Each structure stands twice: as C-alpha cells, then as structure tokens.
C-alpha cells in the first residue's frame, strides 16, 4: 500500500498549534489593551471628580470666608453706630420744642430729646433692645427733623429695637405700632393710661411684638397696624402694614 508521511502530518500539527497560540496571544493583547483603556478612563474620571471636589471646596471656603468678613464688618458698623447714638443722645436736650411734633398735634412728646432750633430743630428718639441689659440696649437713634426728614443711625442693628412710651403694668394692655407720631397719637387717645411700643416700620413690627410678648407674658397685646392701602409693588396692591401686622398676630 501507499506509505504514510508521518513527518508531514507532524508538521501540520505544529502549524495548527502555532496558529492557535498566536490567536490566543492576540486576543490576550486586545483584552489587555481594553482593560488598560477602562482603567485609564476610570482613573481620568476619578481625577476629574477629585479636581471638581477640590474646586468646589475652594469656592465654598471662599464663600464662608466672605460671609465671615461681612459679619465682622456688620458687627463693627453696629458697634460704631452704638457709639454715635450714645453721643447723639447725650448732647440732645432734655426739654425743648419740635415743629414736627406741633404739626402732628403731639402734646408733650415722650421718651425723646430735642435738637435745638439753632441746630435745625428736631426730635431724637432712642432705639432700644428691651430684651438686653440696659448698658447694651441702645442700638441707635432716629432723628426726626422739624421738616419731617427721618434718619436712623447709619450701620445700626435695627431689628428688634423699639421705643417705649409709658410704663407697662402687669395684666393691663400694651399697644404696639410702627411710627412715633402714631404711638403718641395712641397714647394721647388713651389719656396715657397704657404703654405703647414704637417699632419704627412694618417689617420690624413682628419682631417687636414677639419680644414684648415674651417680656410681658401677662399683658394683652394690641397691634395697631398701618393701613397702607395705597402702597403697590410692581403695580400690584401691597398693603405691607396690614400684612406684617397679620404676621405679627399669627
């Protein structure tokens, strides 16, 4: 019979084995390259995340620092305002007259001092935090000139300040309003029987009401709202006096 060439068969087997090994190595290289790309992409994403966090952390730190600087500036302004207010209060006269008070039909203005007519005339009203010790209570003053111009001490901490007209009696009503002229009108209408706290403006009214409520828990509070029926905001009616009085009531 025909002879079998064992060497040829053996050679073919070696070639097939080499081909399989080559394919396997090539597949391994492709997988390794893909893994390297995934790892590289993951590392890049992680790096971006870390960088983003670092940037956001720096921005937050800058924001916090700016808030702290603003708070420090406001404290310094408030302290300076207290000194200015104390000086203004001390140099004002204890007795006198006021053209503004006369126009508003005030009879014997209370809890105020006077600017001499030689200096333009006017009232000086103490703006006090009644929930603080006496030596810390004066935060500013309101000056009302004879021509009606009103000015608060610049930079003062106004929130929560008030001016009390008359003394409170446990169990008796206490009235709270916005402006000084309104407060004096209430005092006079009630023949000065009951005290009135002047809160200066609508937005400070709820704060003062809450403060008085805690200071005088046995006294009924009467909130005397300004009816700002003509006031508008961008063309829409905005009766801020009644709104803030309702907030204080709630």
């Amino acid at each position: 019979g025909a002879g079998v060439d064992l060497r040829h068969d053996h050679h073919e087997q070696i070639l097939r084995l080499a081909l399989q090994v080559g394919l396997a190595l090539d597949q391994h290289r492709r997988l390794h390259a893909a893994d390297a790309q995934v790892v590289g992409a993951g590392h890049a994403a992680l790096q971006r995340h870390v960088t983003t966090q670092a940037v956001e952390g720096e921005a937050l730190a800058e924001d916090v620092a700016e808030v702290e600087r603003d708070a420090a500036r406001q404290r310094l302004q408030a302290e300076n305002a207290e000194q200015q207010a104390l000086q203004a209060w001390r140099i004002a006269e204890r007795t006198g007259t006021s053209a503004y008070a006369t126009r508003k039909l005030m009879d014997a203005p209370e809890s105020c001092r006077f600017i001499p007519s030689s200096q333009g005339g006017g009232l000086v009203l103490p703006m006090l935090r009644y929930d603080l010790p006496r030596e810390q209570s004066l935060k500013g003053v309101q000056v009302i000139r004879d021509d009606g111009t009103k000015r608060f001490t610049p930079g003062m901490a106004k929130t929560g300040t008030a001016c009390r007209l008359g003394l409170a009696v446990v169990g008796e009503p206490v009235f709270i309003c916005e402006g000084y002229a309104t407060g004096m009108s209430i005092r006079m209408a009630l023949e000065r029987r009951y005290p009135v706290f002047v809160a200066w403006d609508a937005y400070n009214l709820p704060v003062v009401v809450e403060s008085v409520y805690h200071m005088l828990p046995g006294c009924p509070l009467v909130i005397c709202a300004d009816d700002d029926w003509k006031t508008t905001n961008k063309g829409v009616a905005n009766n801020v006096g009644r709104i803030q009085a309702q907030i204080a009531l709630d």
Side-chain angles (χ1 to χ4, degrees):
V4 179
D5 189 349
L6 296 178
R7 287 178 299 176
H8 179 72
D9 292 342
H10 181 66
H11 181 68
E12 288 183 352
Q13 291 175 358
I14 291 175
L15 289 176
R16 283 196 296 270
L17 179 60
L19 180 60
Q20 292 173 358
V21 170
L23 291 173
L25 288 173
D26 183 60
Q27 185 178 14
H28 175 73
R29 282 193 297 269
R30 286 198 302 270
L31 290 174
H32 180 72
D35 289 343
Q37 290 177 353
V38 171
V39 171
H43 178 72
L46 178 60
Q47 185 62 38
R48 286 195 299 272
H49 178 68
V50 170
T51 301
T52 300
Q53 285 190 322
V55 171
E56 291 176 350
E58 290 176 1
L60 178 60
E62 291 176 0
D63 290 342
V64 171
E66 182 61 28
V67 169
E68 291 176 346
R69 286 193 294 270
D70 286 343
R73 283 194 292 267
Q74 290 176 4
R75 285 194 297 269
L76 181 59
Q77 289 177 352
E79 290 171 1
N80 290 337
E82 291 172 15
Q83 295 301 316
Q84 294 176 34
L86 182 59
Q87 181 69 11
W89 182 251
R90 284 175 173 171
I91 65 176
E93 297 181 350
R94 294 178 181 270
T95 59
T97 59
S98 162
Y100 172 80
T102 301
R103 286 199 308 276
K104 293 293 185 177
L105 304 179
M106 296 184 202
D107 178 19
E110 299 178 71
S111 302
C112 67
R113 291 187 178 181
F114 299 86
I115 299 173
S117 57
S118 61
Q119 299 177 20
L123 298 171
V124 180
L125 311 174
M127 304 179 71
L128 303 165
R129 282 278 302 273
Y130 290 93
D131 57 332
L132 295 178
R134 183 181 180 85
E135 65 274 10
Q136 301 174 19
S137 61
L138 183 64
K139 299 301 178 182
V141 294
Q142 184 185 47
V143 174
I144 304 179
R145 292 287 182 176
D146 281 349
D147 62 1
T149 302
K150 300 177 182 178
R151 181 179 63 85
F152 297 118
T153 305
M156 69 164 292
K158 187 176 72 172
T159 302
T161 62
C163 179
R164 188 188 66 220
L165 312 177
L167 297 176
V169 177
V170 176
E172 294 193 354
V174 172
F175 293 74
I176 306 173
C177 67
E178 290 186 32
Y180 180 75
T182 302
M184 279 301 305
S185 297
I186 295 169
R187 281 282 286 167
M188 294 164 58
L190 298 174
E191 300 180 343
R192 304 181 197 260
R193 289 179 54 194
Y194 303 114
V196 178
F197 281 83
V198 176
W200 315 116
D201 61 44
Y203 294 103
N204 197 41
L205 184 69
V207 185
V208 173
V209 168
E210 184 175 4
S211 177
V212 174
Y213 174 79
H214 290 296
M215 285 191 300
L216 303 170
C219 295
L221 303 186
V222 181
I223 301 172
C224 304
D226 277 17
D227 187 9
D228 301 318
W229 63 276
K230 290 185 178 181
T231 304
T232 61
N233 183 12
K234 297 180 180 179
V236 179
N238 181 34
N239 195 329
V240 65
R242 293 178 65 90
I243 292 171
Q244 292 301 315
Q246 185 62 49
I247 291 173
L249 183 62
D250 294 341

